[in-house]
Amino acid sequence: MNEKFIHPKDQIINIMKRIYEMEMTTLSGGNLSILDEDGNVWITPAGGDKGKLTSEDIVCVKPDGKYEGLQRPSSELAFHKAILESRPDFRAVVHTHSPTLVAYSISGEIPDTRHIAQAYRTCGTVAYAPYALTGSHQLGVNIANTFSQGVDTVLLENHGVVCGGKTLLEAYQRMEALDFCARSLVNANRLNSEKLILNPDLETYLERQQDLPEFDIENHPEREVQLRGDIVDIIQRSCKRQLMNSTQGIVSARLDDNSFLIVPDHVDRFNMTQDDMVLIKDQKRERGKNASRSVDLHEIIYKMNPQVGSVIMAQSPAAMTYAITSEPFESRTIPESYIMLREVVSVGLEVRYNAPEEIAQLILNDHPVLMVENDCVLVTGKTILEAFDRLEVLEFTAKSLLKAMSLGECKPIDPDRIKELENKFFTQ
């Protein structure tokens, strides 16, 4: 999707709909703006139902301050203009009242994105702007001064979060990635055992790129077309269920012993299509497309595990709590969890990039679900649906474990009953 061919009104409506449906703001809260090539600022209206915006609701503010529209512009127009003036590289601003990010804004804390590689890649360092009256000139000064430090994401004291970007989608993705990261960090604080990857390590891993040679596709067999559609369906379901977000989440599916399909890099997950999927064959990529940077890991998993038909990597907030802490993940909670997940083990981020065959070997040794520290959760299955089922069970189990902490000590299924489950479900 190329934003420059979509009217600012429609961009604002689409992104605000996402924000509201993902429960990152309320009916009346939050505001979005876009600066167009003529110097006009398109912005959400003051008040109104943010869940049901129409093109008539969006207000156009002219360079001279006059506005066109049926409603008044947002009361936060002043700080949107101040941000856009202080950062010429920005063309859009997103402000929301995500409950988790509001929690940080009212506690005076800043989510450290270095805990999760993708969050750091998307958001960078997060800053904090001091409080000022809503809609005031001083609030605009405080926020603009903070953005002038070179950061792209700012928490507002006792208010919420503001993100800027070259496009509205980029600004939204920064807010969304930070929200996912913050939810995992809040859970991790309960466990009191966070791990932290320092900047130098993250930079080393995030700079890595894949540059496979290309090949031309002559035709698209029925099975390939079906798998392309299945991957798109799972990606969209994952986003709706907040198991993935628009910048992260990798799904691949095996075609045969020498080829598989995988999602592309840098494409909005909410709007992926069948044509976006990248065919990998004999260690070459479909011409003109950039595969996910994890393509080498997926290839090794398929090569060493003929039983695996699909691989999913995600950053679902509850499960990621265990990927950023030293707390072991207890899968012996209910029979379904243990049957689906088996024993969940963790591997270091450096293993993913420097020794991916170790991950493939763990899967071969009956560990279909892995935690990659400070990076992602990785699940496999014979089919895409089985892998997705495991991802859902993993997230639901993690939520149950975190909720159980407020009730008392977690009591796993005892070893004798685990043996009963293994004898019934795992023996050939």
Side-chain angles (χ1 to χ4, degrees), residues 151-168:
V151 297
D152 300 323
T153 304
V154 174
L155 281 179
L156 313 182
E157 182 181 7
N158 290 93
H159 196 151
V161 64
V162 178
C163 301
K166 296 182 180 66
T167 66
L168 187 63

Side-chain angles (χ1 to χ4, degrees), residues 45-49 53-54 56-59 67-73:
D49 185 349
L53 289 176
T54 67
E56 289 76 18
D57 294 319
I58 310 306
V59 184
Y67 64 87
E68 297 176 354
L70 300 180
Q71 302 190 55
R72 293 178 295 106

Side-chain angles (χ1 to χ4, degrees), residues 46 56 76 79 87 143 162 166 169 181 229 237 275 279 281 296 328 346-347 351 374 400 404 412:
E56 289 76 18
E76 305 287 19
F79 85 57
R87 289 291 297 272
I143 301 173
V162 178
K166 296 182 180 66
L169 178 61
C181 176
R237 287 172 66 176
D275 186 53
L279 179 62
K281 185 174 183 179
D296 59 336
S346 295
V347 298
V351 173
N374 298 96
S400 299

Side-chain angles (χ1 to χ4, degrees), residues 19-219:
I19 290 170
Y20 184 75
E21 290 180 350
M22 297 290 281
E23 300 180 1
M24 294 179 182
T25 200
T26 59
L27 180 150
S28 60
N31 31 78
L32 315 178
S33 68
I34 295 175
L35 175 65
D36 70 17
E37 298 299 326
D38 298 318
N40 302 311
V41 175
W42 300 82
I43 193 166
T44 45
D49 185 349
K50 296 302 196 306
K52 293 185 177 180
L53 289 176
T54 67
S55 59
E56 289 76 18
D57 294 319
I58 310 306
V59 184
C60 178
V61 182
K62 299 294 184 178
D64 61 6
K66 296 179 181 179
Y67 64 87
E68 297 176 354
L70 300 180
Q71 302 190 55
R72 293 178 295 106
S74 168
S75 60
E76 305 287 19
L77 172 64
F79 85 57
H80 282 255
K81 293 180 71 174
I83 294 169
L84 293 168
E85 289 170 3
S86 69
R87 289 291 297 272
D89 55 319
F90 284 172
R91 308 295 292 188
V93 175
V94 169
H95 168 51
T96 72
H97 301 153
S98 151
T100 308
L101 296 178
V102 166
Y104 273 93
S105 81
I106 64 180
S107 66
E109 299 293 327
I110 299 176
D112 192 332
T113 58
R114 293 176 298 171
H115 284 85
I116 300 177
Q118 183 62 29
Y120 181 74
R121 184 187 187 197
T122 305
C123 306
T125 301
V126 181
Y128 196 81
Y131 178 84
L133 179 66
T134 297
S136 67
H137 172 73
Q138 187 60 49
L139 179 61
V141 171
N142 291 353
I143 301 173
N145 286 344
T146 308
F147 272 109
S148 295
Q149 299 170 15
V151 297
D152 300 323
T153 304
V154 174
L155 281 179
L156 313 182
E157 182 181 7
N158 290 93
H159 196 151
V161 64
V162 178
C163 301
K166 296 182 180 66
T167 66
L168 187 63
L169 178 61
E170 183 180 62
Y172 163 77
Q173 288 175 333
R174 285 176 173 143
M175 183 277 300
E176 179 194 48
L178 184 64
D179 183 75
F180 264 61
C181 176
R183 280 188 272 163
S184 295
L185 290 172
V186 166
N187 290 328
N189 285 331
R190 297 182 193 173
L191 301 178
N192 197 30
S193 57
E194 294 180 59
K195 291 181 178 177
L196 179 64
I197 294 182
L198 299 176
N199 259 340
D201 297 325
L202 278 182
E203 295 292 350
T204 299
Y205 298 128
L206 295 178
E207 288 174 0
R208 302 222 178 166
Q209 300 292 331
Q210 296 297 331
D211 190 22
L212 298 176
E214 298 179 319
F215 76 98
D216 294 308
I217 295 181
E218 296 180 358
N219 53 64

